[in-house]
Amino acid sequence: RAGAGTEAVLDDGARLPFDLFLGIPVHRVPAVVAASGLAENGWIPVDKGTAATRFPGVYAVGDVTSVGTPKAGVFAERAADAMVDTIVARIRGGAEPAGYDGTGACYVELGEGRVGHVAVDFFSDPSRPRGWFTEPEGKDETVKDEFGAERRARWFGVAG
């Protein structure tokens, strides 16, 4: 509403005026996870390579973990792939796989049909993440659109 709510109040009590506010809610585990006993200090602690929790045979990936990567689907997807490989190897008695490497990548649309690529590695250097940006090679949104369509189909069963 005009004239109301034109300040954001930060955690330290500071006030920040705004004309347009685009925000992301605070990430936290759902109440059911907090009540389950899995979470410590607000997150489920896991082995960052295997996604194993402190409970034998219990694994966790995604927004509920303290794995050390952003709370984004591309990181959860890669961690889940590594977790599955680990579980299968343990069930079959095979060699333990390398595990999740803390990397993820996505596309960023820059307007006018230009799409760049961002890749980040959070585990190789514990002191700071490393990231790479690949400039668009022209005006082709197809690769980003295909990336999104594949994930919508695989994650949610939504075509297109």
Side-chain angles (χ1 to χ4, degrees):
R1 297 187 320 229
T6 57
E7 283 188 325
V9 180
L10 307 179
D11 285 345
D12 65 1
R15 296 181 176 274
L16 182 65
F18 63 86
D19 293 319
L20 173 65
F21 182 80
L22 303 173
I24 298 172
V26 174
H27 281 85
R28 61 182 66 152
V29 299
V32 67
V33 173
S36 73
L38 286 169
E40 291 180 8
N41 300 317
W43 305 104
I44 300 174
V46 296
D47 176 280
K48 67 182 185 180
T50 66
T53 70
R54 68 183 185 275
F55 299 98
V58 177
Y59 300 81
V61 296
D63 289 5
V64 297
T65 71
S66 60
V67 73
T69 59
K71 309 295 186 204
V74 294
F75 296 102
E77 176 184 42
R78 290 189 45 81
D81 287 344
M83 177 192 68
V84 168
D85 291 344
T86 296
I87 293 170
V88 168
R90 289 178 179 177
I91 289 171
R92 292 181 176 166
E96 193 83 9
Y100 177 48
D101 62 4
T103 64
C106 65
Y107 296 95
V108 58
E109 190 168 340
L110 301 169
E112 299 178 357
R114 298 178 314 124
V115 176
H117 185 259
V118 177
V120 185
D121 176 348
F122 282 89
F123 293 171
S124 291
D125 181 350
S127 66
R128 64 181 220 180
R130 296 181 343 186
W132 301 267
F133 175 70
T134 304
E135 293 279 343
E137 291 185 13
K139 295 184 177 186
D140 184 11
E141 297 170 316
T142 305
V143 68
K144 180 184 131 310
D145 292 342
E146 289 172 354
F147 176 85
E150 181 201 334
R151 273 141 187 89
R152 282 189 302 278
R154 193 163 25 125
W155 295 349
F156 307 110
V158 176

